[in-house]
Amino acid sequence: MLRIHVSRLDLSRVRMATRPDALWETILSFHRLRDRRASTIFGKWRTETRTRLNGEVHLLAAVVPPRGYFPDFLTPSQEGAEPFGLDTGMEALRDTPADRVREELELLAAGRQRQRAGRPAGQRPPGRASAALPAALLEGRAEPLGRLIGALRSYHHAAVEPYWPHIRASIEADRAVRGRALLDGGADGLLATLPPMIRWRSPVLEADYPVDRDLHLDGRGLLLQPSFFCRGTPVVYRDPSLPPVLVYPVTHPGAPEFAEPGPWLGRLVGHTRSAVLQAIGNGCTTSELARRAGVSLASASQHASVLREAGLVLTLRHGSSVLHTLTPLGGSLLRGGAPLALP
């Protein structure tokens, strides 16, 4: 179990990330790529992604094991609530001091040695190619770190970037739910609405976790970072001196459809549905939607369903109600087709 100790000062400094973090999504998606579970949500994504990969997997597998610890420097930290985009994240990763890279890779190597010691007889050990990169990085040279950054960038383009609008929409929907909780109940209310594997028992935020650990915030506050590819349990930095971040899984309301817009756009023609889309704005319940758009509750629910099928709206449960939010595609449609900004 993970226990995060939250003082009243820390509670006043709890904040939500403004968008998905490119490197957290990249690293956590690499876990999902090798995980056969949750096929309903990630099965199609795995199939499509594997067809676009080349040699990136071998390089990344050297520093990102299927489970357990991976180096903190792969997901650079910062003080604010504005997560890293891909380019700024890569720059921060490249600036990691050589001694920190060496220290964290030594921790990774020690963990792998413990795993090998407990491996059943006859089970195949890691290949030589996967062990080569950490050894080179341990020497503190820039060239192997550059190779790792190149592999991360290439993997991101293949596995994450094509699905970024859906990832971003999921995070924005989660932010809408947490934002309502914050307005209704303050930081206490916000922490109480986090996914079921996280439990707010003031002054301690408990979470299911692979190991037993206590994290003291010591007045630094806590950044809540929702993640599309996080699954099962939240993630925190191993180094307690880094800015505290809790990466937690968003709620997946169903199997995502990673697809381009199709003939369903014809279903959107009509003043009423356009008004409904505009009424959703920054998020609303079905009752609020009916009131804003001037339609019946049943009609608001039906219109929201069509918009959801079209990929323009996401719907998540918020207490006894449901909360509708626009996807980036829905927002772009209202703006007249303005391009989506990637990180």
Side-chain angles (χ1 to χ4, degrees):
M1 178 183 290
L2 171 67
R3 291 173 294 272
I4 302 177
H5 298 266
V6 185
S7 68
R8 299 312 296 181
L9 177 59
D10 292 313
L11 197 61
S12 70
R13 294 178 176 176
V14 171
R15 58 203 186 280
M16 284 290 305
T18 58
R19 61 178 182 174
D21 184 287
L23 281 179
W24 275 113
E25 296 299 340
T26 299
I27 297 299
L28 293 174
S29 75
F30 192 56
H31 283 294
R32 302 289 77 78
L33 186 71
R34 296 171 291 173
D35 184 357
R36 297 181 180 179
R37 297 171 293 177
S39 59
T40 300
I41 298 173
F42 298 111
K44 182 180 179 183
W45 167 80
R46 289 189 190 105
T47 300
E48 293 177 353
T49 295
R50 284 168 179 156
T51 64
R52 291 190 290 264
L53 293 174
N54 294 311
E56 303 93 346
V57 171
H58 299 293
L59 290 171
L60 296 185
V63 292
V64 184
R67 62 187 60 84
Y69 170 76
F70 60 85
D72 290 335
F73 73 79
L74 293 175
T75 51
S77 60
Q78 56 183 353
E79 293 293 343
E82 184 70 17
F84 280 121
L86 183 63
D87 290 336
T88 53
M90 293 298 181
E91 291 173 7
L93 200 163
R94 193 183 300 276
D95 291 339
T96 307
D99 57 348
R100 179 183 167 190
V101 172
R102 184 163 47 250
E103 178 182 342
E104 294 186 6
L105 288 175
E106 286 173 349
L107 286 172
L108 177 65
R112 281 184 162 157
Q113 288 177 355
R114 289 192 295 270
Q115 289 179 358
R116 281 196 293 268
R119 184 179 293 113
Q123 186 172 331
R124 183 178 178 182
R128 291 179 61 188
S130 67
L133 184 60
L137 280 169
L138 281 168
E139 298 175 8
R141 300 199 308 267
E143 185 270 336
L145 182 59
R147 287 172 51 212
L148 174 60
I149 291 172
L152 278 169
R153 185 181 294 276
S154 180
Y155 173 80
H156 176 91
H157 289 325
V160 178
E161 186 177 277
Y163 311 103
W164 194 257
H166 187 91
I167 294 167
R168 181 174 154 191
S170 297
I171 272 65
E172 289 179 353
D174 185 272
R175 276 175 48 82
V177 171
R178 309 304 162 208
R180 287 205 161 218
L182 181 64
L183 290 173
D184 292 343
D188 283 284
L190 167 61
L191 295 178
T193 67
L194 292 175
M197 77 287 295
I198 307 171
R199 299 164 293 277
W200 175 232
R201 294 170 178 164
S202 180
V204 178
L205 188 63
E206 297 179 351
D208 297 342
Y209 205 65
V211 297
D212 195 55
R213 182 179 174 193
D214 287 271
L215 175 60
H216 294 268
L217 300 182
D218 296 328
R220 295 173 295 170
L222 180 66
L223 175 64
L224 300 174
Q225 176 68 64
S227 167
F228 182 83
F229 285 107
C230 185
R231 181 186 179 276
T233 61
V235 185
V236 296
Y237 288 124
R238 187 187 188 280
D239 185 349
S241 69
L242 293 174
V245 179
L246 180 69
V247 182
Y248 66 89
V250 298
T251 300
H252 295 284
E257 289 294 333
F258 297 123
E260 295 298 318
W264 45 258
L265 277 174
R267 302 175 66 186
L268 299 178
V269 176
H271 294 295
T272 301
R273 194 156 293 151
S274 297
V276 167
L277 188 65
Q278 189 168 11
I280 290 175
N282 293 325
C284 63
T285 65
T286 305
S287 298
E288 291 168 339
L289 176 58
R291 187 166 56 252
R292 292 178 186 178
V295 298
S296 68
L297 189 63
S299 179
S301 179
Q302 190 271 336
H303 285 305
S305 177
V306 172
L307 295 170
R308 184 168 58 251
E309 292 172 4
L312 304 177
V313 168
L314 272 181
T315 301
L316 292 177
R317 181 156 296 281
H318 176 59
S320 59
S321 305
V322 294
L323 184 66
H324 309 290
T325 61
L326 295 180
T327 67
L329 180 60
S332 178
L333 186 64
L334 284 180
R335 293 191 301 270
L340 297 173
L342 295 180

